[in-house]
Amino acid sequence: MARTLVLWLPPAAMLGERVDAAWLRVDDGVIVDSGQDDGWVDAWEKPRDDEGDDRLIALAPAADVPLRWRHYPDAAPAQAAAIARVDTLRDSLGDAALLHVVAGQPADAGQAVPVAVTTHAAMAAWTDWLKEQGLSAVAIIPAAATVPPPEPDSLWSAELGREQILRSDDRSFISDPELDPLIAAGRPIAPLDADRMRQALLLSLAAPPLDLLTGAWQPRRNWAIDPALVRWMKRLAVALLAVTLLIPIIHAIRLNADIGRADGASVAAAKKAGVTATDAASAEAELDRRLAAAGGGPLAFSVPASALYDAMRDTPGVALKSLSHRTDGTLSTTLAAPRTEDLNAVLLALQARGYKITAQPMAGTDGNQMANITVRAVP
């Protein structure tokens, strides 16, 4: 349910006094309560049974905000509104910097443009008064703008809030018994029916002809995060954290499962070779032992020797002086090179392959650098 509180702003000249504002409450387009006292406080703060939209619309008094309608038949709506504002400023008395001129935008080309004129001082006084009441209006509509146009060659006199407003075909302003006949210039002044005025007011609330909260007085937008969005973001963060944790866990589970299957396959393959073992490590150790006894496997001469030759091939300045192999898989060699850095390159390459290296440097008789090196055949 949409609930709207309509509050008449006191005239700017009376803001320093104790003034009970006129008000009414509208629920879903129907006036349900009204008054000319401080009863709006209870009407506005009354608890609701549902979660509808609440909004406050303030009506600026016609005494401070007269209205005029200007016609520009050949101009587009936006262009007509801009021209109307400029023309009104030009025709207004006083310093233009002190005036707050607002032009509404007609729906179609050729329609009259409503233009309201007030002062920045009045706007400041009204906004301060609303803040003192703890209120924030979504719109400030000139009360004179809510009076509907009269019949041709006549004027309306309408009572709205605590004001009597006179409405002609192109103007709307506060009524003055002495000036009204002069302004009417022989045209009849008819009282506007209260029911018709009420319907026009409700239409103006639904589609305001213009809003004084524009330009310098446009409220700053307060960025508020929807609580539902916050809850959704929290849930998303928890889900992302859970996924982040589950990915390595699942990867570890799959890796362990693959290792288990590979170990099982190794044990089965060893069993076919006549090796009985409870796990892959035991089967590998037994196979290495049998290969060593037969002179093959990773303890064979060819394994560390091929690694040594590959490392030397990447360092052409290194020469092989002697080479021997023991049954435990250890390869002994003497290397010579013009520089110690060349020997170190070979040793680093062997270590990178996972072999355990020992080296004893010495000087050669021909000026080369030499080293006695042992290479463990099993990494």
Side-chain angles (χ1 to χ4, degrees):
M1 178 179 67
R3 184 172 70 169
T4 303
L5 175 66
V6 182
L7 191 64
W8 273 262
L9 296 171
M14 301 176 61
L15 283 176
E17 306 174 8
R18 168 68 180 176
V19 179
D20 290 331
W23 60 274
L24 58 86
R25 202 187 90 194
V26 180
D27 293 351
D28 287 336
V30 179
I31 299 176
V32 297
D33 201 358
S34 63
Q36 296 192 11
D37 49 27
D38 59 358
W40 61 267
V41 177
D42 295 333
W44 187 240
E45 296 180 353
K46 183 179 180 181
R48 304 184 50 156
D49 296 332
D50 57 0
E51 295 183 358
D53 295 330
D54 289 348
R55 62 176 187 159
L56 168 68
I57 293 180
L59 294 182
D64 297 303
V65 192
L67 219 71
R68 182 175 180 180
W69 280 261
R70 292 181 175 269
H71 292 266
Y72 302 95
D74 299 328
Q79 184 181 16
I83 298 173
R85 187 177 181 278
V86 173
D87 288 348
T88 302
L89 272 173
R90 182 190 58 200
D91 297 342
S92 299
L93 299 176
D95 188 354
L98 302 178
L99 299 178
H100 181 48
V101 180
V102 180
Q105 185 168 316
D108 298 315
Q111 291 184 348
V113 181
V115 187
V117 182
T118 187
T119 64
H120 289 294
M123 291 296 298
W126 287 325
T127 53
D128 290 343
W129 183 82
L130 287 171
K131 289 179 181 178
E132 291 174 1
Q133 315 304 316
L135 300 174
S136 177
V138 298
I140 297 181
I141 304 174
T146 64
V147 182
E151 300 296 332
D153 298 326
S154 65
L155 289 84
W156 287 130
S157 178
E159 183 178 357
L160 190 61
R162 287 193 173 97
E163 291 185 312
Q164 196 72 27
I165 300 176
L166 200 66
R167 171 75 156 91
S168 66
D169 59 341
D170 64 346
R171 297 177 187 271
S172 185
F173 46 90
I174 191 71
S175 176
D176 188 320
E178 296 182 0
L179 297 179
D180 289 352
L182 299 177
I183 296 173
R187 293 175 295 177
I189 300 176
L192 181 61
D193 180 71
D195 290 339
R196 187 172 178 182
M197 182 65 244
R198 190 178 300 110
Q199 292 301 320
L201 175 61
L202 293 176
L203 289 175
S204 299
L205 298 177
L210 54 83
D211 182 7
L212 296 180
L213 292 178
T214 58
W217 297 101
Q218 186 172 6
R220 294 181 180 178
R221 185 171 183 179
N222 294 325
W223 293 96
I225 300 179
D226 187 358
L229 179 60
V230 173
R231 291 193 296 270
W232 182 83
M233 292 176 64
K234 289 181 178 178
R235 293 171 183 168
L236 180 60
V238 171
L240 289 175
L241 179 61
V243 171
T244 303
L245 294 175
L246 283 175
I247 288 176
I249 292 175
I250 294 174
H251 181 72
I253 293 175
R254 293 182 60 183
L255 181 61
N256 290 332
D258 292 341
I259 292 174
R261 286 193 294 270
D263 288 346
S266 298
V267 172
K271 187 176 182 180
K272 292 180 180 179
V275 176
T276 303
T278 57
D279 53 44
S282 301
E284 182 180 5
E286 178 62 21
L287 286 173
D288 288 342
R289 188 189 65 78
R290 294 187 182 186
L291 287 171
L299 300 180
F301 166 76
S302 59
V303 175
S306 63
L308 175 62
Y309 288 137
D310 285 342
M312 291 176 61
R313 184 174 55 186
D314 296 334
T315 312
V318 178
L320 183 67
K321 296 298 184 179
S322 64
L323 183 65
S324 63
H325 180 259
R326 297 200 299 263
T327 58
D328 63 354
T330 301
L331 187 71
S332 299
T333 181
T334 300
L335 300 179
R339 302 180 305 164
T340 304
E341 289 79 2
D342 296 332
L343 296 175
N344 290 337
V346 175
L347 299 180
L348 291 174
L350 290 170
Q351 288 178 341
R353 293 172 178 262
Y355 289 93
K356 185 176 180 180
I357 308 298
T358 63
Q360 182 179 1
M362 59 182 179
T365 57
D366 56 356
N368 285 336
Q369 300 297 320
M370 302 182 67
N372 292 326
I373 300 170
T374 61
V375 181
R376 293 289 300 175
V378 180

